[in-house]
Amino acid sequence: MLNARLQALPREARDTLFLLAVIGLILLPQVPNLPWWCSTLAAIVLLWRGTLAVQSAPLPGKGWRIALLALTIAATYITHRTLLGRDAGVTLVVILLALKTLELRARRDAFVVFFLGFFTMLTNFFYSQSLLTAFAMLLALLGLLTALVNAHMPVGRPPLTQAARTAGWMALLGAPIMLVLFLLFPRMAPLWGTPSDAMAGRTGLSNTMRVGTITELALDDGIAARIRFDGGRVPPRTTLYFRGPVLSQFDGREWTAAPRFQRAAAPPNLRVRGPATGYEVTLEPTNRPWVLTLDATPARPELPGYELSATPELQWIANRPISDLVRYRAESFTQFESGPVRRTTALQSYVALPPGSNPRTVALAAEMRADPALAGAATPALVQHVLQRLRTGGYSYTLEPGLYGDETADEFWFDRKAGFCEHIASAFVVLMRALDIPARIVAGFQGGEINGIDNFWVLRNSDAHAWAEVWQEGVGWVRVDPTGAISPDRVGQFRRLAPQPGLIAGAIGAMNPTLSQNLRAAWEAVNNGWNQWVLNYTQSRQLDLLKTLGFEAPSLQDLALVLLALLVVASLGGAAWTLWERSQHDPWLRLLGQARARLRQAGIELPEGASPRQMAERLAERFDGGAEPARQWLLRLEAQRYARAPAEALPALRREFRRLAWPR
């Protein structure tokens, strides 16, 4: 019934509705990234325009369009506080595309909408380059090409399926060119990324930690990074600590990173031992400059397009935020020591506490120091005493510890006795500092899981973790994970706190518990393949491709030469195709055209549609029987076509044509 109603519409209305549907497909993935008013207004405008098309009603006047444009510009400025930048620019482009449909009258207007649609389609990749986004935009591309082809078919009412077939054939013909340009067009970092406007990290890690924020992050099961260990040799699970920001300043409730240190080419005072672990990381965009590495990494990771430097706290920092999916190699040592081995004045900042904060925790530290069993105890003994308290004191690891007040350490040690990793690490470090032991918090990721499909080690946002480091005389900084004292399986077996599954995932899990996991693993493996082979196709991989082609030390110049050579070959192939295609035209018509040209040289002008018999008659009239061989040849040419003479007669006619003495 719907198809019948669409068939009954005038062609202009049908084509307009199709174009509006394609625009809706382009804008749909952008809805989570747009202000609510922008998505709502765009939907209203598209529905309005569709109603006008169905009713064959006149379009709104210029005043309406100017008023809507002014309103949206003002709303964009109020929302983003600017008209520049990625987010504000995308908002304006979306609104302009929707408003342009309100003046869709002539073919020129349609072409403007087409090309504005192509541009808007590309803006989807500013926010996501996932496989789903790419698939949705491929459908949108085919839709826009179909509408464009249909607009070039002005006569009659050609079916959209015919235009769609032509558009699909055009896309198929362009695919080899796209593949060659993708493989060989030089990758230059400034041209291939657009920084985000905001600095809100997607992994949830920050250079500040207010107790309670990582609890919310544990509900996010999205992927933060994928790791491929060399040879598939995964280190012991209890050593899989991936280092993020180090938090050392405390105001009583919030932990922050120390002011920037002088960066270096390698972490100072890092002493490693044991075997090295080589691996490759595919890091999701974080909009932060932190480069995630396994503790500890003495050498600079190999991250093309970025300049990396190390801090004294063993963290690697890039020269700009990582706003795109990146891949890099690193080599780490899970057995290490760092920092000074003798107490220095620089360590005093790691024992500082706000005056008057967490008084009961400070009093607990004083009691421990006064305990004869701990009199003169060194740092390891005090640490073990506190960890034993966590094991036996009724403390629990929970996702919902409740709302903490200002004295977070006091509440944890004496009142609630429950918390997530950040509560536990914060309370532990506060107690260590009250004992005059330098201590700090490290935020990062701990654990992960193997994807059995592609054998990548997967870190999720729910693997975000916070642990402590304490300074020990003669050793330096030592990792202590107090969460492991309360919940050993969080560190050893990676018990992940995760949200309840959705309706569909829950139903699948109820029917077959392993099916849901296998489906997710398969989908993530497919996405990882997309990330590895498409999104992470870097300049270094381009040069590696040239090595496989025989170049010993390929450079960008070699890349340009190969691309130029392929373009020349493609051009010659196109010329050969053109010549072949011309040779496939009707040889009978070509021979008739050559005969018409000979008659024109003899002064006989004939219409383009003249038949061979008409040519023969004109020839006889002009030369009064003096051109009989040519006249007979023309009659035989007509007989070959219309008397269904054998096909092999045409080559004979062609040879005879060359021998004939045509009159002049």
Side-chain angles (χ1 to χ4, degrees):
M1 183 177 179
L2 178 60
N3 185 48
R5 293 186 62 183
L6 290 176
Q7 291 296 328
L9 290 174
R11 178 185 171 181
E12 181 181 353
R14 183 204 66 175
D15 294 351
T16 300
L17 290 178
F18 177 75
L19 180 58
L20 294 176
V22 173
I23 293 174
L25 177 60
I26 294 172
L27 300 186
L28 187 60
Q30 289 281 37
V31 170
N33 309 314
L34 297 172
W36 67 268
W37 62 263
C38 179
S39 303
T40 304
L41 181 59
I44 292 174
V45 169
L46 294 180
L47 289 174
W48 183 18
R49 182 63 181 89
T51 303
L52 295 177
V54 171
Q55 297 176 350
S56 298
L59 298 181
K62 188 175 181 180
W64 272 100
R65 299 196 301 272
I66 293 177
L68 286 173
L69 179 61
L71 178 64
T72 54
I73 291 176
T76 301
Y77 184 81
I78 293 172
T79 302
H80 300 288
R81 297 298 177 184
T82 181
L83 296 179
L84 305 176
R86 184 194 66 178
D87 293 341
V90 171
T91 300
L92 285 174
V93 167
V94 167
I95 288 298
L96 289 175
L97 175 59
L99 293 180
K100 184 62 181 176
T101 63
L102 294 179
E103 57 177 12
L104 190 59
R105 293 184 174 89
R107 291 183 65 196
R108 182 186 63 181
D109 299 323
F111 291 148
V112 172
V113 172
F114 295 150
F115 294 112
L116 190 57
F118 283 120
F119 183 80
T120 307
M121 182 182 68
L122 292 177
T123 63
N124 282 276
F125 294 107
F126 289 166
Y127 299 94
S128 173
Q129 298 88 38
S130 69
L131 187 57
L132 277 178
T133 300
F135 180 73
M137 292 306 101
L138 177 60
L139 291 180
L141 173 65
L142 293 175
L144 282 174
L145 285 177
T146 299
L148 187 59
V149 170
N150 185 65
H152 283 84
M153 305 167 69
V155 179
R157 185 188 173 90
L160 289 174
T161 53
Q162 179 182 349
R165 284 194 297 269
T166 304
W169 181 244
M170 291 170 56
L172 193 61
L173 290 177
I177 300 175
M178 177 198 69
L179 180 61
V180 169
L181 291 177
F182 172 79
L183 291 175
L184 297 177
F185 195 86
R187 292 291 200 271
M188 291 169 282
L191 298 178
W192 297 93
T194 300
S196 298
D197 293 337
M199 288 296 290
R202 296 186 184 183
T203 62
L205 298 180
S206 173
N207 56 0
T208 64
M209 186 184 82
R210 182 176 291 270
V211 174
T213 57
I214 295 185
T215 297
E216 298 175 359
L217 181 63
L219 296 174
D220 183 1
D221 212 28
I223 293 178
R226 294 179 174 89
I227 298 97
R228 185 194 291 274
F229 290 99
D230 292 352
R233 295 184 296 272
V234 182
R237 296 194 168 200
T238 54
T239 65
L240 291 178
Y241 285 83
F242 296 87
R243 197 177 193 88
V246 179
L247 312 176
S248 57
Q249 294 186 331
F250 185 54
D251 64 2
R253 180 67 185 271
E254 185 176 45
W255 289 91
T256 58
R260 290 181 178 267
F261 291 98
Q262 184 68 35
R263 298 181 181 181
N269 294 325
L270 174 59
R271 303 170 293 280
V272 298
R273 60 181 185 275
T277 299
Y279 54 96
E280 185 178 73
V281 180
T282 303
L283 182 65
E284 295 289 329
T286 63
N287 290 328
R288 301 287 182 176
W290 309 320
V291 178
L292 198 66
T293 57
L294 183 67
D295 261 353
T297 307
R300 180 185 287 112
E302 302 171 10
L303 180 53
Y306 291 82
E307 296 178 6
L308 305 186
S309 55
T311 71
E313 295 175 329
L314 309 187
Q315 188 180 8
W316 285 98
I317 305 291
N319 61 325
R320 55 190 173 91
I322 298 176
S323 56
D324 297 305
L325 191 79
V326 296
R327 184 169 62 179
Y328 52 91
R329 284 198 54 80
E331 189 176 71
S332 300
F333 294 79
T334 56
Q335 301 178 48
F336 66 95
E337 297 170 355
S338 66
V341 296
R342 297 289 178 263
R343 189 150 183 167
T344 63
T345 56
L347 292 173
Q348 285 303 115
S349 62
Y350 294 101
V351 296
L353 289 172
S357 75
N358 296 289
R360 288 185 288 173
T361 303
V362 174
L364 174 61
E367 292 176 11
M368 292 174 59
R369 285 295 188 185
D371 188 345
L374 298 175
T379 296
L382 293 171
V383 168
Q384 289 303 317
H385 181 82
V386 175
L387 294 179
Q388 184 64 21
R389 181 187 182 95
L390 289 172
R391 295 187 189 100
T392 60
Y395 297 92
S396 62
Y397 173 68
T398 177
L399 182 64
E400 299 176 352
L403 182 64
Y404 272 66
D406 293 334
E407 309 296 341
T408 56
D410 283 357
E411 287 191 48
F412 175 80
W413 287 116
F414 301 102
D415 301 328
R416 300 179 183 274
K417 295 189 175 184
F420 189 53
C421 59
E422 65 176 8
H423 304 90
I424 303 169
S426 176
F428 178 84
V429 171
V430 169
L431 181 55
M432 288 294 104
R433 291 189 174 193
L435 288 167
D436 197 36
I437 297 174
R440 62 194 185 192
I441 292 177
V442 182
F445 293 88
Q446 200 280 324
E449 62 183 0
I450 191 73
N451 185 315
I453 305 296
D454 58 9
N455 293 321
F456 272 76
W457 194 262
V458 179
L459 288 180
R460 302 184 182 278
N461 290 329
S462 52
D463 293 317
H465 192 51
W467 61 92
E469 286 183 337
V470 298
W471 184 83
Q472 182 178 329
E473 184 77 25
V475 177
W477 290 103
V478 178
R479 181 197 302 135
V480 180
D481 193 343
T483 302
I486 298 176
S487 179
D489 54 352
R490 170 60 182 89
V491 177
Q493 301 176 17
F494 309 133
R495 177 167 63 96
R496 180 182 291 110
L497 296 180
Q500 292 295 323
L503 180 62
I504 297 178
I508 295 176
M511 292 186 296
N512 189 335
T514 61
L515 179 59
S516 177
Q517 297 178 2
N518 292 338
L519 289 176
R520 185 177 72 170
W523 173 246
E524 290 177 352
V526 171
N527 268 290
N528 185 41
W530 170 261
N531 293 340
Q532 299 297 326
W533 294 103
V534 178
L535 300 187
N536 269 309
Y537 186 74
T538 59
Q539 186 182 102
S540 60
R541 295 187 67 185
Q542 285 183 313
L543 299 180
D544 290 340
L545 176 62
L546 292 187
K547 289 181 181 179
T548 63
L549 297 178
F551 290 84
E552 294 183 1
S555 63
L556 288 179
Q557 183 178 2
D558 297 326
L559 194 66
L561 289 176
V562 171
L563 181 58
L564 180 61
L566 286 176
L567 290 177
V568 171
V569 171
S571 300
L572 293 176
W577 171 272
T578 301
L579 292 175
W580 178 85
E581 189 179 39
R582 290 181 60 185
S583 70
Q584 298 306 304
H585 288 168
D586 192 333
W588 187 89
L589 290 176
R590 189 166 59 253
L591 194 55
L592 180 63
Q594 293 172 358
R596 182 183 295 109
R598 291 295 181 91
L599 294 179
R600 188 178 297 114
Q601 292 175 2
I604 302 175
E605 293 296 335
L606 293 163
E608 289 294 326
S611 67
R613 183 172 295 274
Q614 291 172 332
M615 292 181 182
E617 292 173 354
R618 290 291 303 276
L619 185 62
E621 292 174 2
R622 176 68 180 271
F623 293 97
D624 193 21
E628 186 63 19
R631 192 180 75 84
Q632 291 298 326
W633 182 88
L634 288 168
L635 293 176
R636 290 198 303 275
L637 180 65
E638 182 174 273
Q640 197 279 338
R641 182 73 160 191
Y642 298 106
R644 301 188 180 277
E648 56 267 22
L650 187 62
L653 288 171
R654 189 182 298 114
R655 290 192 296 270
E656 186 178 354
F657 172 83
R658 299 192 189 102
R659 295 194 301 266
L660 275 176
W662 289 83
R664 295 181 179 277

